[in-house]
Amino acid sequence: MTPEDGDAILRNYFAPWIQELGLAVEEVGERHATVRLPWSESLAREGGGLCGQAMMAAADTATVVAISAARGGFVPMTTVQQSTTFQRPVTGKDVLVHVRITKLGRTLAFCDITLIPDGATEPSAHATTVYTVLA
């Protein structure tokens, strides 16, 4: 799968409000994906930091891209669990969402997600997800 294939998944399988986040697939591999969440004032909360809801949605969405890459294309799936910890605020920078599949079974996928502001070395948030693959 290519980044262009990942972008097609974002266009074809997600609700309009997710598409409005402007996510773009930077990289895909056999068991990983990197998706860019562009900075937008419309996603900032009071005080100017990127809102956690946008970062959680980006992590959840990027997980679909990573699992699709591992499965050779999009298949129906849904989130079973997501846990997110926020470590530092993001202001004025895009966020790179790095997803690594830690276990891919026949019906369940477990992923580890790190959200890092573009150009930074330390993460702003960390998430884990569990997905069930429906087909």
Side-chain angles (χ1 to χ4, degrees):
M1 201 165 105
T2 67
E4 293 77 20
D5 295 328
D7 285 335
I9 289 169
L10 296 175
R11 281 191 311 274
N12 295 327
Y13 296 102
F14 286 94
W17 73 270
I18 291 292
Q19 294 179 23
E20 289 173 14
L21 293 173
L23 299 171
V25 178
E26 300 263 315
E27 180 183 336
V28 291
E30 186 178 325
R31 294 178 71 89
H32 72 276
T34 300
V35 173
R36 179 179 294 269
L37 170 61
W39 169 259
S40 170
E41 290 289 335
S42 68
L43 299 177
R45 57 177 176 74
E46 186 176 332
L50 183 63
C51 71
Q53 295 93 332
M55 289 192 285
M56 290 176 72
D60 192 49
T61 304
T63 298
V64 172
V65 173
I67 294 169
S68 295
R71 298 286 303 249
F74 179 82
V75 295
M77 62 185 90
T78 191
T79 311
V80 174
Q81 180 273 335
Q82 180 174 344
S83 177
T84 307
T85 56
F86 299 97
Q87 300 170 4
R88 57 187 47 82
V90 177
T91 54
K93 294 187 176 195
D94 292 0
V95 175
L96 296 174
V97 183
H98 301 282
V99 180
R100 182 175 55 87
I101 299 171
T102 59
K103 181 178 188 322
L104 181 61
R106 191 174 48 80
T107 60
L108 290 176
F110 297 81
C111 298
D112 189 70
I113 303 110
T114 306
L115 295 92
I116 302 175
D118 195 15
T121 57
E122 297 292 324
S124 59
H126 175 262
T128 58
T129 59
V130 179
Y131 260 73
T132 186
V133 179
L134 303 171

